[in-house]
Amino acid sequence: MIRTFCTNKFRRVTELSGSGWSFSPLSGEFENKTFPVVVPCCWESLPQFPAYRGVGRFSKTFRAKGDVRLVFQGVSHTATVYVDGVKLGTHYNAFTPFEVMAKGLPDGEHLLEVDADNRFSEDSALHIPNDYMSYGGITRGVQLEELDTAYISALHAVPSKEADGTWGVDLSARVVNLSDRAFEGSLQVGLEGLAASAWLRVSASAGESITVKGRIDGLSPKIWSPESPALYEVSALLSGADGVIDDLTERIGFREFVISGRDLLLNGKKLRIKGFCRHEDHPMFGCALPIEAIQKDLEIIRDLGANAVRCTHYPNDQLFLDLCDEQGILVWEENHARGLSEENMRNPNFEPQAEQCIREMINAHINHPCILIWGILNECASETQYGYECYKKQYDLIRELDPSRPRSSASCKFATDICFGLPEIVSYNLYPEWYVEKSAKDWVDEMYNWVQEKSEGSGKPFLITEIGAGAIYGYRTPVKCKWSEEYQAEALSHQIKAVLERDGCSGIFIWQFCDARISFEWFASRPRTMNNKGVVDEFRRPKLSYEVVKELYHSYDNYF
Ligand code: ADA
């Protein structure tokens, strides 16, 4: 499963996720031995490869003919794709989708081979030993598309509210002409259930990709909100001289998310964010969670009284975002980065890889109404001038690609951060009563006041994007010392109250939803080679803090 709804009724699409794949490591004890696997697959979830760092080859045969597009939702972390032994393309970063084209395939059976590489090196500026795991494998869905002479490679539909209370949708479609002749045609874009459509002319020279834009106005749709997440399908039909040759359906929601002084207004109401930071991580699946496992996480998150999830620290699977759209769960999504120093950011691969991630994230996810905020560069070098230049470039890129959403970045640079003048929202990761021996109230107040009195973030909406404490599941002691479940429950109680009672603070994301695996090459002092700050453990077993968080979160409304 790639999406939770049907994206193509005309285009010939075959899902390649599922069985029929074989996996073979290209080095180590089992070199070139083959293992039957189901894709998506992290090889670390296979009994023989819990800690394999290297290149693994996934192979599968398929039947098709003509111009074939292979779309990968995620390969971790560097992919090289071959069809019938011919290299078609490569891609860096586990967390964004990419495609390769096999042109002019003869009718019949073909061999697809995908080499996934999860090694660390200077070539990889974002996947580095870290407080999360860089897995290996084809970690999200794969689909094969047999295309006609031209196709719609992206369809963006961004709603906006007019002064008179009606709504419009800005349309932008990318059309690729695969043929060696000019393409003349049209794009019919319809909004299901709203009896509205637009007709756009398409004219592309041989082999050209073009973007056509349009707008539909005067709409009176149902509004998307956490309480009532109304969704609408936007369907585009591409026609040439001989009729329809391609189609693509996307899904949107009509909601207004704006900033008013220090406040975040969702559909005109002052929003209170009560969230969790969540890694895509599971002991049975690695980062390749099936939709059933994702849904279980969302059911627990809703049971805890949360209304939001921060995708830490990378773009998430479309399936997760589709479910959040359908269930009214608010999302902060961010590009891939965690804790990069200025030295890390000076890796010549850093800026191109970080900017590619932003482009691919926004191109793939711009239509999701659940995404309220675009984040960048979690806890990177926002205290240095070099870091400031990188932050500015990335904020500017987000503004260019999607002017409809506010931007922010989770900082741990406390009173040395020099980047708060750049984003619309100021965000801090604070760990009072864990890393910082101060009371939650004192530390939250101290940083809030510093921002208002000494930074360029004064008067902007203020979020706590991480706060929490560690607990080893099952470690209980009347001593209530750190790592005990009792200590975590007490610390979170202080932290949640300190944040949600802080005047001027618009919300909180607890670090973190569940315990998650870390790179074994990283922080040796992490017990169990895990980040143990989950409110549930990696198997989603609740810790003592679960009921404390649940009672507190439910006691605060979604709106001030
Ligand atoms: C940082 C970081 C998180 C996690 C957390 C922790 O805030 O952003 O990824 O590492 O610290 O558990 O210490």
Side-chain angles (χ1 to χ4, degrees):
M1 177 181 256
I2 306 288
R3 304 298 298 273
T4 62
F5 61 96
C6 178
T7 56
N8 302 90
K9 296 182 177 69
F10 180 88
R11 184 186 300 176
R12 288 188 62 191
V13 176
T14 308
E15 185 154 355
L16 295 184
S17 314
S19 66
W21 289 84
S22 65
F23 167 71
S24 180
L26 301 193
S27 63
E29 178 189 354
F30 296 95
E31 183 176 352
N32 298 324
K33 286 192 175 26
T34 58
F35 299 79
V37 294
V38 168
V39 162
C41 167
C42 290
W43 61 60
E44 290 87 354
S45 59
L46 302 176
Q48 303 82 354
F49 303 101
Y52 176 60
R53 272 222 188 279
V55 181
R57 174 163 293 171
F58 293 81
S59 309
K60 182 183 178 75
T61 59
F62 64 87
R63 296 195 64 83
K65 69 176 184 302
D67 292 346
V68 171
R69 180 188 189 217
L70 292 160
V71 183
F72 298 86
Q73 293 300 318
V75 175
S76 190
H77 61 60
T78 298
T80 305
V81 181
Y82 305 86
V83 169
D84 298 337
V86 175
K87 180 176 171 181
L88 295 182
T90 62
H91 180 266
Y92 173 79
N93 206 321
F95 305 114
T96 49
F98 69 97
E99 64 185 68
V100 297
M101 289 294 286
K103 296 206 71 175
L105 287 184
D107 190 5
E109 188 170 85
H110 301 278
L111 174 62
L112 168 61
E113 293 171 306
V114 181
D115 288 354
D117 184 347
N118 73 345
R119 290 173 296 184
F120 297 131
S121 75
E122 276 305 295
D123 295 339
S124 170
L126 306 178
H127 286 280
I128 63 174
N130 219 324
D131 197 16
Y132 63 92
M133 183 67 185
S134 279
Y135 288 96
I138 300 180
T139 50
R140 295 178 183 169
V142 185
Q143 74 180 29
L144 174 150
E145 303 172 349
E146 294 172 270
L147 301 171
D148 204 301
T149 52
Y151 73 99
I152 308 159
S153 69
L155 174 62
H156 293 168
V158 181
S160 55
K161 192 174 179 182
E162 301 296 330
D164 65 2
T166 64
W167 288 78
V169 179
D170 283 318
L171 304 168
S172 171
R174 191 125 186 89
V175 176
V176 179
N177 178 8
L178 293 169
S179 75
D180 54 8
R181 283 174 293 154
F183 174 81
E184 293 295 331
S186 65
L187 202 66
Q188 186 84 22
V189 184
L191 262 169
E192 150 257 14
L194 290 171
S197 66
W199 183 92
L200 310 175
R201 185 169 173 279
V202 177
S203 175
S205 54
E208 185 185 22
S209 296
I210 59 156
T211 298
V212 290
K213 294 182 185 289
R215 182 172 170 79
I216 298 175
D217 281 310
L219 302 169
S220 300
K222 293 194 192 96
I223 297 308
W224 187 93
S225 70
E227 300 77 22
S228 174
L231 293 171
Y232 290 87
E233 290 190 353
V234 187
S235 295
L237 281 178
L238 179 65
S239 300
D242 302 325
V244 174
I245 60 169
D246 192 47
D247 73 329
L248 179 58
T249 293
E250 278 287 348
R251 202 167 62 175
I252 63 174
F254 293 82
R255 69 0 170 220
E256 187 186 46
F257 182 61
V258 297
I259 286 172
S260 171
R262 295 184 317 183
D263 300 330
L264 301 175
L265 301 185
L266 179 60
N267 301 320
K269 296 196 289 184
K270 191 176 163 188
L271 178 66
R272 176 188 281 115
I273 290 177
K274 306 176 291 175
F276 283 95
C277 297
R278 174 179 176 270
H279 269 298
E280 291 181 324
D281 195 280
H282 196 285
M284 303 299 289
F285 306 108
C287 65
L289 280 76
I291 189 169
E292 294 83 354
I294 299 172
Q295 175 60 20
K296 289 299 145 211
D297 282 358
L298 294 176
E299 287 162 7
I300 296 169
I301 285 165
R302 279 209 314 281
D303 180 61
L304 281 158
N307 60 10
V309 174
R310 178 175 167 233
C311 300
T312 47
H313 297 286
Y314 36 74
N316 272 208
D317 193 339
Q318 288 272 32
L319 290 173
F320 168 82
L321 297 169
D322 284 343
L323 291 172
C324 289
D325 287 340
E326 293 167 7
Q327 298 172 36
I329 294 174
L330 307 170
V331 170
W332 157 313
E333 195 171 52
E334 61 190 42
N335 75 336
H336 177 204
R338 181 208 168 276
L340 302 178
S341 65
E342 177 171 335
E343 182 191 1
N344 294 136
M345 293 171 78
R346 285 183 178 276
N347 176 329
N349 295 304
F350 165 73
E351 287 200 275
Q353 289 175 350
E355 288 172 17
Q356 173 192 311
C357 181
I358 289 172
R359 291 184 185 281
E360 291 173 343
M361 171 177 74
I362 294 179
N363 181 56
H365 297 167
I366 192 170
N367 294 325
H368 288 283
C370 66
I371 299 175
L372 297 186
I373 299 166
W374 294 121
I376 60 169
L377 300 179
N378 175 76
E379 296 199 348
C380 296
S382 57
E383 82 284 17
T384 72
Q385 193 51 44
Y386 183 84
Y388 177 93
E389 299 308 325
C390 293
Y391 274 76
K392 184 175 186 321
K393 270 185 251 177
Q394 293 187 31
Y395 278 132
D396 291 348
L397 178 59
I398 290 178
R399 178 54 62 251
E400 172 200 329
L401 297 172
D402 178 12
S404 76
R405 289 180 173 92
R407 306 159 295 175
S408 189
S409 176
S411 168
C412 69
K413 305 308 178 185
F414 310 137
T416 65
D417 200 299
I418 61 173
C419 292
F420 287 148
L422 295 171
E424 287 72 40
I425 298 170
V426 170
S427 300
Y428 263 130
N429 298 341
L430 301 179
Y431 285 90
E433 302 181 27
W434 188 255
Y435 296 127
V436 173
E437 293 306 331
K438 288 183 179 177
S439 78
K441 185 175 182 337
D442 288 350
W443 190 222
V444 169
D445 286 351
E446 185 177 334
M447 292 324 309
Y448 178 81
N449 292 329
W450 180 84
V451 169
Q452 306 314 315
E453 294 155 15
K454 303 277 180 55
S455 89
E456 292 178 286
S458 180
K460 294 183 178 180
F462 180 92
L463 283 175
I464 296 298
T465 32
E466 288 181 30
I467 195 162
I472 305 294
Y473 179 82
Y475 177 37
R476 303 213 177 157
T477 163
V479 175
K480 295 189 180 181
C481 53
K482 284 184 177 178
W483 294 119
S484 68
E485 291 191 35
E486 292 90 345
Y487 183 91
Q488 182 193 47
E490 207 161 87
L492 275 167
S493 172
H494 301 158
Q495 293 162 343
I496 293 168
K497 288 173 195 165
V499 174
L500 294 184
E501 297 300 328
R502 169 66 246 180
D503 176 46
C505 182
S506 293
I508 180 175
F509 289 93
I510 289 172
W511 183 275
Q512 66 175 327
F513 166 66
C514 68
D515 293 349
R517 186 171 173 181
I518 72 167
S519 314
F520 39 80
E521 303 89 344
W522 191 69
F523 207 19
S525 71
R526 283 275 190 265
R528 311 191 301 142
T529 319
M530 299 281 290
N531 185 304
N532 298 282
K533 298 189 183 70
V535 168
V536 298
D537 78 349
E538 62 271 29
F539 294 99
R540 280 61 176 172
R541 298 178 297 184
K543 301 176 185 175
L544 277 180
S545 59
Y546 187 101
E547 291 302 327
V548 169
V549 172
K550 179 174 177 176
E551 184 181 347
L552 276 171
Y553 265 15
H554 279 286
S555 71
Y556 291 94
D557 194 84
N558 284 344
Y559 306 95
F560 287 93

